[in-house]
Amino acid sequence: MALRVLGIDPGLTRCGVGIVDIAPDRRATLVAVEVIRTAPELELAERVRRIQLGVAALLDEHAPSAVALERVFAQHNVRTVMGTAQASGVVLAEAAQRGLTVALHTPTEVKAAVTGHGGADKRQVTAMVQRILRLDAPPKPADAADALALAICHGWRGAPPSATGGAGAADAGLTPAQRAWRDAERASRAPRLER
Amino acid sequence: MALRVLGIDPGLTRCGVGIVDIAPDRRATLVAVEVIRTAPELELAERVRRIQLGVAALLDEHAPSAVALERVFAQHNVRTVMGTAQASGVVLAEAAQRGLTVALHTPTEVKAAVTGHGGADKRQVTAMVQRILRLDAPPKPADAADALALAICHGWRGAPPSATGGAGAADAGLTPAQRAWRDAERASRAPRLER
């Protein structure tokens, strides 16, 4: 049975939400993707409330069994960090209300999981997300790619090692990121072979 | 009719909540004071959820007409800032859900409002909160004094200037505490006049 993961790239102006099913063989399938937006002109409390309502609606509609949230570190713009953390707060509370644990992943972990290296740029992440999910075009809205990558990252990290298809000779010299990348390639190749 | 203000000094480990009634003559009366605590050992999502539930219960029980929250700026400890902002997020959402606007005040504004100077230390703030609320002892829990100061600050700032009673003859019968209080509220209004 697939693991359904809801990934969130938190923010007040744009809160990306991506929902992905991860099969036991690590094949990842897009379920839904959305960006919840709130206008900066709105009162702060109302903006946070709208993020809360939007996330709650997606949690109720898609009933994920895990939530993955971006772990935010210090950034240059303190106001942005605060807004991001305030949005994270309501996501955490809504998940806990539904008995869901929230896993935090750093941007570096997410990039490493989907592209094989932690320093990948946005374009590379988007391209790999498209391949991993076997989409005909880059995911839209474009700023939701990070949320999908988070969900994929979490689904793959959470899966038991045996689900990778066996730790045989091919795995011997691979780092976890390389294994993830190899899995991503396999996932992206699979459908083409079927066509 | 008194303005009931709920002040919140947000935090994950300790979230101070103070509720105060501010009469039209600016007399402030303690309604309730509490510190919602969550253990650092708990999962982050569960901690934020408990802050949310605690704040929601106090909002429902005391039905304030205004919420005042500490405006958090950059601090040295990024993790503390994030926890504070996450707690703030659920406070903002719960207030908005009840149609309440949340006013943000900086620590300096709050100190200036209750003590007359923005550089006051914690002991001075606690002592003035005790005097302003006419308490026999410093408010307990001790770490809730800031939340009460926030509520008082907001109540005084929100009241129309005419409610101060004006200077002159009206001052004649004031006690030292009332004069200190009057001076404090003037200090709190000053920044607004400068804008």
Side-chain angles (χ1 to χ4, degrees), chain A residues 115-173:
Chain A
T115 72
H117 60 108
D121 63 21
K122 202 166 184 68
R123 189 184 52 77
Q124 292 170 309
V125 170
T126 300
M128 278 305 295
V129 165
Q130 179 184 346
R131 287 180 67 180
I132 293 166
L133 296 177
R134 294 158 279 118
L135 305 175
D136 293 331
K140 285 187 180 180
D143 46 7
D146 284 347
L148 289 168
L150 253 165
I152 293 165
C153 168
H154 182 70
W156 281 350
R157 290 168 65 98
S162 61
T164 61
D171 283 343

Side-chain angles (χ1 to χ4, degrees), chain B:
Chain B
M1 192 186 135
L3 174 73
R4 177 161 294 182
V5 183
L6 184 142
I8 298 202
D9 179 20
L12 283 183
T13 304
R14 291 182 300 276
C15 184
V17 185
I19 302 158
V20 171
D21 278 345
I22 310 281
D25 67 356
R26 303 209 156 200
R27 189 176 163 97
T29 305
L30 175 68
V31 175
V33 60
E34 191 170 320
V35 174
I36 304 165
R37 300 171 199 276
T38 72
E41 297 77 34
L42 285 174
E43 275 193 11
L44 176 62
E46 183 58 29
R47 297 182 76 185
V48 177
R49 171 69 177 153
R50 291 188 186 189
I51 299 290
Q52 180 191 40
L53 291 175
V55 169
L58 287 166
L59 286 170
D60 290 339
E61 180 180 353
H62 299 290
S65 49
V67 173
L69 183 64
E70 187 169 302
R71 185 191 295 275
V72 180
F73 286 107
Q75 291 173 11
H76 296 298
N77 187 332
V78 173
R79 182 172 294 188
T80 302
V81 173
M82 296 301 296
T84 300
Q86 287 159 349
S88 298
V90 294
V91 170
L92 289 161
E94 290 302 311
Q97 186 186 338
R98 290 162 180 78
L100 298 169
T101 301
V102 180
L104 301 176
H105 299 290
T106 67
T108 302
E109 287 171 341
V110 174
K111 289 172 188 171
V114 300
T115 72
H117 60 107
D121 63 21
K122 201 166 186 65
R123 190 184 52 77
Q124 292 171 309
V125 169
T126 300
M128 278 307 295
V129 165
Q130 180 185 344
R131 287 177 70 177
I132 292 165
L133 296 178
R134 293 159 282 116
L135 306 176
D136 292 332
K140 284 188 181 181
D143 46 7
D146 284 348
L148 289 169
L150 254 165
I152 294 165
C153 168
H154 183 70
W156 283 351
R157 289 169 64 99
S162 61
T164 61
D171 287 346
L174 295 182
T175 64
Q178 286 172 323
R179 271 195 293 277
W181 160 35
R182 177 208 59 196
D183 292 342
E185 61 167 1
R186 284 182 181 164
S188 75
R189 283 204 309 276
R192 202 164 49 180
L193 297 175
E194 286 162 9
R195 272 176 216 151

Side-chain angles (χ1 to χ4, degrees), chain A:
Chain A
M1 190 187 138
L3 175 73
R4 178 161 294 182
V5 184
L6 183 143
I8 299 203
D9 179 21
L12 282 183
T13 304
R14 290 181 301 277
C15 184
V17 184
I19 302 158
V20 171
D21 277 344
I22 310 282
D25 68 356
R26 302 207 155 200
R27 188 178 164 98
T29 306
L30 175 68
V31 175
V33 59
E34 190 170 322
V35 174
I36 304 165
R37 300 171 198 275
T38 72
E41 297 76 35
L42 284 175
E43 276 196 9
L44 176 62
E46 183 58 29
R47 298 182 74 184
V48 177
R49 172 69 178 153
R50 292 188 185 188
I51 299 291
Q52 180 190 39
L53 291 175
V55 170
L58 288 165
L59 286 170
D60 289 340
E61 181 180 353
H62 299 290
S65 49
V67 173
L69 184 63
E70 187 170 301
R71 185 190 295 275
V72 180
F73 287 107
Q75 291 173 9
H76 296 298
N77 187 333
V78 174
R79 183 171 293 189
T80 302
V81 173
M82 297 300 298
T84 300
Q86 286 159 347
S88 299
V90 294
V91 170
L92 289 160
E94 291 303 311
Q97 186 185 337
R98 289 162 180 79
L100 299 169
T101 301
V102 180
L104 301 177
H105 298 291
T106 65
T108 302
E109 287 170 343
V110 174
K111 289 172 187 172
V114 301
T115 72
H117 60 108
D121 63 21
K122 202 166 184 68
R123 189 184 52 77
Q124 292 170 309
V125 170
T126 300
M128 278 305 295
V129 165
Q130 179 184 346
R131 287 180 67 180
I132 293 166
L133 296 177
R134 294 158 279 118
L135 305 175
D136 293 331
K140 285 187 180 180
D143 46 7
D146 284 347
L148 289 168
L150 253 165
I152 293 165
C153 168
H154 182 70
W156 281 350
R157 290 168 65 98
S162 61
T164 61
D171 283 343
L174 297 182
T175 64
Q178 287 170 324
R179 274 195 291 276
W181 179 65
R182 177 210 60 195
D183 291 338
E185 285 208 316
R186 284 180 182 167
S188 67
R189 275 203 309 272
R192 280 185 215 153
L193 295 175
E194 287 162 8
R195 271 175 214 157

